[in-house]
Amino acid sequence: MLLAGALSACAGTGSSDSSDAVIAPVSVALSEVGGTTVTVQVGNAVNLTGDDETFADWTADIDDPDVVSFVAGRTDGTATFNPGLKALEEGDSDVTLTNSSTGQSVSFEVEVTAR
């Protein structure tokens, strides 16, 4: 099972201020995301799931790197991390993911909204 470690959220600090709360990443299946729009809040992440074998071979072409950045899948010896996207600022960006091992490619839009 792949973990979204670098992209996963943890519980809030106990503060009653909801702006301090950390929200769970948006998980989307690589096999289903093509042609869709993924909506995510600033500061949150998109966890790209469904590739248990070549998860570290995905790269991304991002039209607006000010809006969203790519986080490569990886293993660190004790855990496995899915590839993902980090929402940086409000806006829209087209994203094309390509897997260098399988040749698979998938394109979709990411809409980053205010937190």
Side-chain angles (χ1 to χ4, degrees):
M1 172 190 277
L2 295 178
L3 303 175
L7 303 175
S8 68
C10 59
T13 60
S15 169
S16 62
D17 181 1
S18 65
S19 66
D20 290 340
V22 177
I23 54 178
V26 175
S27 290
V28 295
L30 288 161
S31 62
E32 299 174 6
V33 72
T36 68
T37 298
V38 177
T39 302
V40 61
Q41 291 180 346
V42 170
N44 200 0
V46 177
N47 178 28
L48 300 163
T49 65
D51 183 349
D52 293 342
E53 295 179 17
T54 62
F55 56 89
D57 298 331
W58 289 95
T59 58
D61 179 20
I62 297 172
D63 283 346
D64 191 344
D66 291 332
V67 172
V68 66
S69 65
F70 179 69
V71 179
R74 64 183 174 81
T75 65
D76 71 1
T78 60
T80 301
F81 302 88
N82 289 325
L85 300 166
K86 177 77 176 165
L88 304 175
E89 68 179 40
E90 287 182 65
D92 297 276
S93 182
D94 289 329
V95 175
T96 299
L97 301 173
T98 304
N99 187 303
S100 61
S101 291
T102 65
Q104 183 181 0
S105 182
V106 61
S107 296
F108 57 97
E109 182 179 7
V110 176
E111 178 183 356
V112 179
T113 60
R115 186 162 188 183

